[in-house]
Every structure is written in C-alpha cells, then in structure tokens.
Amino acid sequence: MSKRQMIIGMHLGNGYGSQPGAWRMAGVDPRSYTSFDAKVRQAKAAERGKFQFLFLPDGPSQVVDVDEEAPNFNLDVMLTLAAVARETSRIGLVATGSTTFNEPYNLARQFKALDLMSHGRAGWNAVTSSGEDVAANYGQRLPSSAKRYGRAHETVQLVQALWGSWGQDAWVHDQTSGRFANREKIAPINLHGDFVASRGPLYIPPSEQGQPVIFHAGGSPNAHELAGRYASAVIGASFTIEDARAQRTAFRNAAERAGRDPDEIKYIPGLMTTIATDRRAALDRRIAMTERLFPQRVNYLQQMLGVRLDSTRLDRPLSREQLAAASPSPRDPRSAHALAIAREGWSLRDVLAHGVIDYHPVIVGPAIEAADHMQAWFEAGAADGFWISPDVYEDGIDAFVDGVVPILQERGLFHRDYEGTTLRDHLGAPAQYGLDPRVSR
Amino acid sequence: MSKRQMIIGMHLGNGYGSQPGAWRMAGVDPRSYTSFDAKVRQAKAAERGKFQFLFLPDGPSQVVDVDEEAPNFNLDVMLTLAAVARETSRIGLVATGSTTFNEPYNLARQFKALDLMSHGRAGWNAVTSSGEDVAANYGQRLPSSAKRYGRAHETVQLVQALWGSWGQDAWVHDQTSGRFANREKIAPINLHGDFVASRGPLYIPPSEQGQPVIFHAGGSPNAHELAGRYASAVIGASFTIEDARAQRTAFRNAAERAGRDPDEIKYIPGLMTTIATDRRAALDRRIAMTERLFPQRVNYLQQMLGVRLDSTRLDRPLSREQLAAASPSPRDPRSAHALAIAREGWSLRDVLAHGVIDYHPVIVGPAIEAADHMQAWFEAGAADGFWISPDVYEDGIDAFVDGVVPILQERGLFHRDYEGTTLRDHLGAPAQYGLDPRVSR
Ligand SMILES: Cc1cc2nc3c(=O)[nH]c(=O)nc-3n(C[C@H](O)[C@H](O)[C@H](O)COP(=O)(O)O)c2cc1C
Ligand SMILES: Cc1cc2nc3c(=O)[nH]c(=O)nc-3n(C[C@H](O)[C@H](O)[C@H](O)COP(=O)(O)O)c2cc1C
C-alpha cells in the first residue's frame, strides 16, 4: 500500500503575491496585475513543483485601498486559466465562480469548455459569495445565507446535469459514415428550481476527466452540507490544528450523510509562506514588504493580547510586565500563537513580521519549518493538503518549490511526479459524469 | 488622400467551416469542434491574410440535427478568444455576448480582461439574442423585442461606464513612491436602470485601445437605434446590393441622430465563399459537402421560384417550360439570384451548389469572382467591408487569403498590412473611454 500523500495547491491572485507590498519588491514587474505572461510564468513555476492545482479566488469587487495596494483578484479568472491551460500541461486549474451572481448555463458552459481546453484539468470552486460590495456590482443586496445556499444547491445540480447532458459516448464524429453525434445519447435536463432553471442540453462532449471537479469554500453548517454533497475538495481557512481537524471532520461527516465515502472530500487549508535561508532573513523580507502597515496592526495586536502596546517602539520586545499581563483573546484564533511568538522575545516589529495577523497560518523562515508545519497538520488529521499563498511571485514560489518540496518528497509526504494527467487523477477523485446518483435532490 | 479601403472579418464558428458537411471533408480534423489548437490555427490563417477581425457568433443553444451536423457555435467564445489572443498579435477579436442573458458586470469584466490580454484587440458584439431555445437555457421565455432592446441599451451603457470607472491614468504602479493607483481617478458608476444596475468600479485599467469596440447584429429599427448610439461596426446579413445599401443607410442615419459622424459606424455584411480554380471545381467541392441536403432544398427552391421541381432529377437543368413559368418569390430576397442562376442552364444540382439557399450571398468559383463581388458592393455604398464565412477551415481560409486578398490589394481595395496594433486602429474607430459623452442617456 502506498502511503497517503498530501495535495498542494497554489493561490494565484493579482499577479504579485499575497503580501500587500509584494508589487513593490525588487525583481517584481509592477505591471504583473494586467500581465497574462506573468500569470503563465507563475503557473509554470507551480507546475515545476508538481503542485496538484492552482486556486484562483474571485470576488468580484475592489475592496482594498488601491492608493497603496493592488486589488486582490485576477482581472478575470477564466481568461487567466485559459491562458494557463494552453501553456501548461499537468497542473489542475481551479477557479472560483459565484453561484449567487452567475447563470447556471453560463457557468456550466465556461467551466466545461475550460475542461476540454485543458484536457481534463478544470475545477470549479462553487461559492455563494459574501459582501454587500459584491452584490452591489450586480445591483442587488446580498441575499440571506439560506437563500444563497438554496440557490447554490440548485445551481450545482443544474451545472452538473448540463455537464452530463451530452452522454459520454454521444460524440461519434465519424467522417466515413457521416454520423456526427448520437442524438439518442443527448438529452435536455429540464430542471426547474425555486431560484434557477435550465432546459439544455449543453452542447459539449466529455473531457478527459469527464467533467470539472467541484471545490467549495465556506465555513458554516450550510457550507458543510453543500460541500458534503457535491465537493471533492474544500478550500479552507484554519489557524490551528484543532480548528482544522474540526472543520475537516465536519466536511467528512457531511459527505457521509450524503451517502459518500468521506475520503472523497479533501480538506485543504491555506498556508502563507516567506521562505528564506534563515528566520532573520525571512523576517527582513516580510518587513520590507509590510512594515508600512505595522502601526495599524499594533492596534489590532493589542486587542488580541489584551495589553497596551506602543506603535512608536517597534524595535523593542514586549516588556516583562506586558507579557505577564497578556492573555490571548478568545475572539481571535490567532491570539495564542501571537502571544507565543511574543514570549520568544522578538521585537514588536518582528512579532508582526511573523505574520501573526495574516489570513492564514504563516511560515516565515527556512524551508524545513514549512515542511514541519505541513507534516504536523497532515499527520494530525487536520488537512489533506494545503493551498500555498507565497508572499511574492515569482521568487516566493521558487523558494517553496526548491526548498520545501524536496523535503516533503524526501519524507514521502508529497509525490515526485504527477500520477496522471487530469485533476481527478491528481486528487484521487472518483469518476463522475453528470449528477452524482448517490446524492439525493 | 488615401483611398477608402474595405474591412474584412472572418467567421470563426464550430471549428470546421460554414458548410454543414465541412466536418467530413478530407484534410479536416474531425475533432476540431473541441480543439483549441484548430481554432488558433484558423485564426492565424486569417491574420496571415491581414483580416481586421475574427467574428464569433454565439447562441447559445443546440439547434441543428447533431446526428449529421456539428453544433453551430464555439464551445465558449471567450475562452476561444483567450487562446487566440495569446497566439496571434494583430487580428481583432470580436465575440458575441448576449445583453439579455448576461449580467452587465460579468460582461464588462470579461471583455475588458480580453482587451488587456490581447493588447487592445477586443470587440463585443452586443446582441439581444433570439429564439425560445436560447431563453429556455436560462429558464425563461424570450422577452419582447421592446424589453430586450430596453435592457440592451442599459446594459451597453453600464458596461461602458464600468469600463471607464478606472480613469485612464489612474493606474500609477510606481514602485519607488509606493503609489499603486490614484484613488481620485477611480469612481463607482452607481447606475440603476429599469432592467439592470451596477455600482462598480470595475477594477481594470485601460487597454492599449482604451476599451473594447462595440459591434451589433440585428435588422430591426430597434437594432438601428441601438447600433446608431453605441456601435462602431454592424455584423450584417444582406442578399442584395439594394438591401445592403438600405441597411447601411439606416445605421448611418441612426448614428447621425445620435450625434455621431455616420462614418463612425461600419456596415459589414456576410459573404460565404468556396474558392477554387474554376467554377466547376468549386461547384464540385460544394456538392461533396452538401449534396445530402439537396432533396429538402429542392422543396424550398420550388417556393422561391414558384414552379414544381423534381428532386429525383438533380442532373437536369430546369426545362424551358419551368423557366418560363418561374417568377421570383417576393418573400425571399434570394429568389431573383436563384432564378438568374437557373437561367444560365445549370443542372438542378449545380443551381443548389451555387448556394442560392444559403444564409448569405455565396461565391462559388475562382478568386476573381469574390473580388469582383466585394468591389461591386463596396463601391456601390452597400458595405464598408465583409465578414467572410469560408466553406471549410482551414484550406477554405487559405484559398481566400492566397486568392482573393492579393487581387483586392492589387486593386487598392484592401490594405497590405495592419496600420496599427489595436482593433480601433484597424477599424478607424475613434478613441473612446467610458461612455460616449455625445450619446444621450
Ligand atoms: C478559505 C475561504 C476562501 C474563500 N474564497 C472565496 C472566494 O474566492 N470568493 C468568494 O466570493 N467567496 C469566498 N469565500 C467566502 C464564501 O464563499 C462564503 O461566502 C463565506 O465563507 C460565507 O459563507 P459561510 O457562512 O458558509 O462561511 C471563501 C471562504 C473561505 C473560508
Ligand atoms: C448578421 C446577424 C448575425 C447575428 N448573430 C447573432 C449571434 O451571434 N447571436 C445571437 O444571439 N443573435 C445573433 N443575431 C440575432 C440578433 O441578435 C437579434 O436577436 C435578431 O436579429 C432579432 O433582432 P432584430 O429584430 O433587431 O433583428 C444576429 C443577427 C444578424 C442579422
């Protein structure tokens, strides 16, 4: 029996990397935001590292302060992946597509076309979207969670039914007999829900993996139910092993309730990395990128630790009195880790440079620290893999690929090459074409 | 003063060519329907011919008899053009996008992203869609023409406003100062119509041509009004010089009513071509592809000519009595041409092989006949150019490029090379960013 190995995805965002200051770093092309060449190079770097997939989040809205920061997202996730599909050969291509703000027919068509284009490497991160700013771009208020998830269930079912509407061997294309397709193996779907409907058929034959793989991202019980029925993988956000394990269990249980084998759903939390030869070099790299934001982050760190801190004295470690008085806030799961770092005696600047207030767990240090973190979570049943958000494209990807990947491979925790050609192969996801007959409607 | 020259576009459809039997022809890859490689090769052939643009129609629905014919459309027009954008450098990229079945924000984002990706070569054929089969894919009945065109006006305005929401010099991306963008030059649009609304901004800076060019396709007075306000080019369908001239005049008049120079709107009717060394070889090529459909077409030809015809005697020309009794049907603008061909003494099979019942005027013959047709229409004020629908990709494109294009160039009717790099350059369309201030809302 081969040992269970981890899945690694890479966050492909605005073209610069996950840190707000990444776009200013030396060696970074400041035009990467609009450069499809840059995105293709970054995808190739991840493919060199044998990553199973790229993950492209999507709002869409412009929420950051663009005076100083790049917008968070790709110009358009599907067009980016179209370029990447043509210029890579193995890595999976997972784009976020909102079930709330898209027509099911349009989603079905574009994702299945991407699946054909990439020869079976497409995945759809089906999310319900959040944020009034996103809804406003569609002239709407954000519907309630119940309504969004209601529509999401219908939308995923419609999309999968449309994907299956051209039967798997319907496309004959036999020039001699003149038979193009077998009409008897093509059927409209005629699905009508409370929120969405479509007749079909969608005129696209199967890809090398049949149809795209469903991903989901969300943390509520509604999210567990949706993913439990349809998703092969979950894009997660957990700060601790305990939380990750609980999330993973919740998704696995939901899959079982839907009549599936819990191993069919992979829980993949995020991990941000700044890899350098040693901790000091890595901290300095982070400081160069994000120090500008530290004064406001000090304010937030105060709340996490429950003590007053002085943002004008970033050079100093927390005093003995501050450390004694500090206690981690129960309202922020990152607080205990932040306090532990502070207790190691780092200056306030270095505490913040450790990424203690970032969106995901952060490794700032040598490659082996990232490998150790990943191994610990993986072996504790907290993760089936990770989606990596490198601090800066492109050398942040290379540092991970050349540093962390070989250690994981050496330890037998990560594959040395792709086992197959499709995203289903990479994830070990079972074959599926059309709706999953085990999942009740 | 340089002489006025014609614009040429190429229809890029299902990957085979415009004739129903194209997919069966020798030398055609029967898998072209799902092959993005094939589409890219076809686009390159058109670019070799210095065509100003590719035109991709879109339904989306599956209306043909797929037992024998390929569906009409690209798997997905935007993903096809993304591939083509990366692998060509000059040719314009015009995709059809329905104003009835898409959210304006999604249209705005994807077309502007394509414009960035192609360095200023994108065009949006903004159509209202027709057909209950299309509407059914969105769980709807087709709205009335008034409602569809009402929504179309709002959608085009919203999309153009979103395109302009990042001011032309808003994107600073200065690594030294740390200024990413100038927030003061970015503004939400906050447009609310009767059908659609959006807040914005759309987080995409300008392309090399500012923003995509608007095309339109439609024949009614509503279509004239819409195109007159917003379109730089009209994808037309006219069978006679008189009709084309009337259509062209109607669009030009509508542009004038909207406060524009009528030369800003180009009327571009379709032309189908089967180019071969002589008429006989061209007819035989057509027969090989479409003869299977001739019996049913004979039925239709009877109605066009007002005489009984015998579909079992395709080898014979029409008799003297039939020709004497025939008179062109006023209900079909193709009828006079069909009768003229019949009077030349061709067999019934050859009459049909002339394409007298096709979607556009058809040239079946040597290259000079296509060039003569185009010159006659162009000089009669019936067209500013043509969109060519070759019978078969890819040798049907090559036959046009190597045969017709040099003749037109020799006559000074078609450019010898691209004058610029953007679609606006190719069309002579004036600069525009955001809404056109001359067009009233
Ligand atoms: C790790 C993670 C990634 C997410 N990525 C996206 C995204 O790319 N786009 C998006 O619209 N929402 C994204 N979401 C938000 C979810 O779509 C969802 O709207 C939100 O989590 C609220 O739903 P919930 O109550 O089920 O958690 C993400 C959520 C998580 C946890
Ligand atoms: C030459 C031509 C090409 C067209 N191409 C498309 C197309 O690609 N997709 C589409 O949905 N409709 C297309 N249409 C249909 C128009 O969108 C429109 O729905 C139809 O012409 C009815 O509108 P009207 O009454 O203004 O003519 C086309 C129409 C014409 C004349």
Side-chain angles (χ1 to χ4, degrees):
Chain A
M1 263 296 290
S2 67
K3 189 171 153 183
R4 176 175 160 255
Q5 291 187 315
M6 60 176 71
I7 291 159
I8 303 184
M10 186 181 82
H11 171 207
L12 189 58
N14 58 18
Y16 301 113
S18 63
Q19 290 304 300
W23 72 272
R24 294 184 63 182
M25 294 292 279
V28 171
D29 174 0
R31 301 190 63 100
S32 296
Y33 179 50
T34 60
S35 164
F36 290 79
D37 288 342
K39 312 273 162 48
V40 168
R41 279 198 313 271
Q42 294 152 9
K44 285 183 172 176
E47 188 170 71
R48 185 170 71 82
K50 314 293 182 192
F51 286 27
Q52 277 86 350
F53 67 93
L54 300 169
F55 166 56
L56 283 70
D58 193 31
S61 73
Q62 171 189 306
V63 285
V64 301
D65 172 4
V66 292
D67 269 348
E68 299 192 343
E69 293 179 32
N72 280 326
F73 303 114
N74 263 274
L75 299 191
D76 182 83
V77 293
M78 299 309 284
L79 295 193
T80 297
L81 287 183
V84 170
R86 295 283 303 166
E87 298 172 57
T88 58
S89 61
R90 290 299 190 87
I91 194 163
L93 311 173
V94 182
T96 300
S98 170
T99 54
T100 304
F101 300 114
N102 283 290
E103 283 288 343
Y105 190 88
N106 293 342
L107 285 167
R109 181 158 72 143
Q110 209 155 57
F111 275 94
K112 201 168 183 203
L114 180 68
D115 207 29
L116 276 284
M117 188 178 199
S118 63
H119 300 289
R121 295 187 282 141
W124 171 32
N125 181 34
V127 304
T128 60
S129 300
S130 45
E132 290 295 344
D133 52 313
V134 174
N137 285 333
Y138 298 93
Q140 294 180 35
R141 303 297 309 267
L142 192 72
S144 68
S145 175
K147 286 205 170 133
R148 280 182 293 134
Y149 276 95
R151 181 176 164 129
H153 278 271
E154 291 183 8
T155 299
V156 174
Q157 290 191 11
L158 272 167
V159 167
Q160 292 198 326
L162 286 166
W163 284 344
S165 59
W166 261 53
Q168 226 153 352
D169 50 0
W171 192 30
V172 184
H173 57 76
D174 177 14
Q175 289 177 315
T176 313
S177 68
R179 171 56 70 97
F180 187 78
N182 187 341
R183 197 170 29 180
E184 281 165 23
K185 296 184 172 168
I186 297 172
I189 64 162
N190 288 319
L191 286 180
H192 294 263
D194 293 332
F195 302 94
V196 284
S198 186
R199 190 181 70 179
L202 176 69
Y203 47 84
I204 307 187
S207 77
E208 283 81 345
Q209 69 171 354
Q211 68 192 24
V213 178
I214 306 285
F215 280 56
H216 180 63
S220 64
N222 281 340
H224 301 150
E225 280 321 300
L226 187 82
R229 289 191 182 197
Y230 313 107
S232 298
V234 171
I235 295 290
S238 293
F239 288 102
T240 64
I241 284 193
E242 295 66 37
D243 176 52
R245 199 156 38 197
Q247 283 286 333
R248 181 167 178 262
T249 302
F251 284 109
R252 291 172 63 86
N253 290 347
E256 265 191 318
R257 284 196 299 279
R260 300 167 67 202
D261 178 343
D263 286 341
E264 288 179 32
I265 190 164
K266 312 294 184 195
Y267 182 69
I268 304 180
L271 179 66
M272 299 175 107
T273 54
T274 293
I275 307 294
T277 44
D278 56 42
R279 181 81 64 97
R280 185 70 259 155
L283 290 170
D284 289 342
R285 182 175 157 99
R286 276 232 155 202
I287 288 165
M289 272 185 282
T290 52
E291 184 167 19
R292 182 175 63 66
L293 301 172
F294 284 179
Q296 77 197 54
R297 289 195 179 172
V298 168
N299 291 336
Y300 191 76
L301 187 61
Q302 291 187 141
Q303 297 168 35
M304 286 167 72
L305 303 185
V307 287
R308 299 223 34 170
L309 301 170
D310 183 350
S311 64
T312 63
R313 303 175 92 171
L314 291 173
D315 285 330
R316 303 227 187 137
L318 275 67
S319 68
R320 193 175 308 190
E321 296 71 37
Q322 285 172 319
L323 287 173
S327 82
S329 160
R331 299 223 317 278
D332 190 313
R334 298 169 293 193
S335 305
H337 176 66
L339 183 54
I341 295 290
R343 288 211 169 112
E344 288 175 14
W346 301 96
S347 71
L348 192 48
R349 176 183 291 105
D350 285 343
V351 171
L352 290 165
H354 275 85
V356 296
I357 315 185
D358 242 315
Y359 297 115
H360 296 283
V362 178
I363 299 296
V364 181
I368 195 160
E369 294 187 9
D372 288 348
H373 171 99
M374 293 167 80
Q375 178 165 13
W377 281 48
F378 183 64
E379 293 183 344
D384 297 294
F386 303 87
W387 60 283
I388 305 299
S389 208
D391 55 351
V392 185
Y393 308 131
E394 302 158 40
D395 65 354
I397 309 172
D398 287 338
F400 191 96
V401 166
D402 295 320
V404 185
V405 166
I407 300 173
L408 295 172
Q409 288 171 330
E410 205 54 54
R411 295 180 185 174
L413 293 166
F414 187 59
H415 66 180
R416 290 184 185 272
D417 204 351
Y418 294 102
E419 293 77 21
T421 59
T422 70
L423 179 55
R424 273 178 208 282
D425 293 337
H426 305 341
L427 299 175
Q432 185 178 340
Y433 197 67
L435 284 162
D436 182 343
R438 298 168 304 178
V439 175
S440 61
R441 268 180 256 168
Chain B
M1 264 295 288
S2 67
K3 190 173 153 184
R4 176 177 160 253
Q5 291 188 316
M6 60 175 70
I7 291 159
I8 304 182
M10 186 182 81
H11 171 208
L12 189 58
N14 59 16
Y16 301 112
S18 63
Q19 289 305 298
W23 72 271
R24 294 184 64 181
M25 294 293 279
V28 170
D29 174 359
R31 302 191 64 99
S32 296
Y33 179 50
T34 61
S35 164
F36 289 80
D37 288 342
K39 311 274 163 47
V40 168
R41 279 198 311 273
Q42 293 153 10
K44 284 182 172 175
E47 187 169 73
R48 185 170 71 82
K50 314 294 182 193
F51 287 27
Q52 277 87 350
F53 67 93
L54 299 169
F55 165 56
L56 283 69
D58 193 30
S61 74
Q62 171 188 306
V63 284
V64 301
D65 171 5
V66 291
D67 269 349
E68 301 193 341
E69 293 179 32
N72 280 327
F73 303 115
N74 263 274
L75 299 191
D76 181 84
V77 293
M78 298 310 283
L79 296 193
T80 298
L81 287 184
V84 170
R86 296 282 303 166
E87 299 172 57
T88 58
S89 61
R90 291 299 189 87
I91 195 162
L93 311 172
V94 182
T96 299
S98 170
T99 54
T100 304
F101 300 114
N102 284 291
E103 283 287 343
Y105 190 88
N106 294 342
L107 286 168
R109 182 160 71 142
Q110 209 155 56
F111 275 94
K112 202 170 182 201
L114 180 67
D115 207 29
L116 276 284
M117 186 178 201
S118 63
H119 300 289
R121 295 187 282 140
W124 171 32
N125 181 34
V127 304
T128 60
S129 301
S130 46
E132 290 295 345
D133 53 312
V134 174
N137 285 334
Y138 299 92
Q140 294 181 35
R141 303 297 308 268
L142 192 72
S144 67
S145 175
K147 285 204 171 134
R148 281 182 292 134
Y149 277 94
R151 181 176 164 129
H153 278 271
E154 290 183 10
T155 298
V156 174
Q157 290 190 10
L158 273 166
V159 166
Q160 292 198 326
L162 286 165
W163 285 344
S165 60
W166 262 52
Q168 228 153 348
D169 50 359
W171 192 29
V172 184
H173 57 77
D174 177 14
Q175 290 175 316
T176 313
S177 68
R179 172 55 73 93
F180 187 78
N182 187 341
R183 198 170 29 181
E184 282 166 22
K185 296 185 171 167
I186 297 172
I189 63 163
N190 288 319
L191 286 180
H192 294 263
D194 293 332
F195 301 94
V196 284
S198 185
R199 188 180 72 181
L202 175 69
Y203 47 84
I204 307 187
S207 77
E208 284 81 345
Q209 69 172 353
Q211 68 192 24
V213 178
I214 306 285
F215 280 56
H216 181 63
S220 64
N222 281 338
H224 302 150
E225 280 322 300
L226 187 82
R229 287 192 185 198
Y230 313 107
S232 299
V234 171
I235 296 289
S238 294
F239 288 102
T240 63
I241 285 194
E242 294 66 37
D243 176 51
R245 198 156 38 198
Q247 284 286 335
R248 181 167 178 263
T249 303
F251 284 108
R252 291 172 63 88
N253 290 347
E256 266 191 316
R257 284 197 299 277
R260 300 167 67 203
D261 177 344
D263 286 340
E264 288 180 32
I265 190 164
K266 312 294 185 194
Y267 182 69
I268 305 180
L271 179 67
M272 299 177 107
T273 54
T274 292
I275 305 295
T277 44
D278 56 40
R279 181 82 63 97
R280 183 71 259 154
L283 289 170
D284 289 343
R285 182 174 158 101
R286 279 231 153 201
I287 288 166
M289 274 185 280
T290 54
E291 184 167 21
R292 180 177 65 66
L293 302 172
F294 284 0
Q296 79 198 52
R297 289 193 178 173
V298 167
N299 290 336
Y300 191 76
L301 186 61
Q302 291 187 139
Q303 296 168 36
M304 285 167 73
L305 304 184
V307 287
R308 300 225 31 173
L309 301 169
D310 183 351
S311 65
T312 64
R313 304 177 92 168
L314 291 173
D315 285 330
R316 303 225 188 140
L318 274 69
S319 67
R320 193 174 308 188
E321 295 72 36
Q322 284 171 320
L323 288 174
S327 82
S329 161
R331 300 224 316 278
D332 191 313
R334 299 169 292 194
S335 305
H337 176 66
L339 183 54
I341 296 290
R343 289 209 169 113
E344 288 175 14
W346 300 97
S347 72
L348 192 46
R349 176 183 290 106
D350 285 343
V351 171
L352 290 165
H354 275 84
V356 296
I357 314 184
D358 242 315
Y359 296 115
H360 295 283
V362 179
I363 298 296
V364 181
I368 195 161
E369 294 187 9
D372 289 347
H373 171 100
M374 295 166 80
Q375 177 164 12
W377 281 48
F378 184 66
E379 293 183 345
D384 297 293
F386 303 87
W387 61 282
I388 305 298
S389 209
D391 54 353
V392 185
Y393 307 134
E394 301 158 40
D395 65 354
I397 309 173
D398 288 337
F400 191 96
V401 166
D402 295 320
V404 185
V405 165
I407 300 172
L408 295 172
Q409 289 170 329
E410 204 55 52
R411 295 180 185 174
L413 293 166
F414 187 57
H415 66 180
R416 290 183 183 271
D417 203 350
Y418 294 102
E419 293 77 22
T421 60
T422 70
L423 180 55
R424 272 178 209 283
D425 293 339
H426 305 341
L427 299 175
Q432 185 179 340
Y433 197 67
L435 285 162
D436 182 342
R438 296 169 304 177
V439 175
S440 61
R441 268 182 255 168

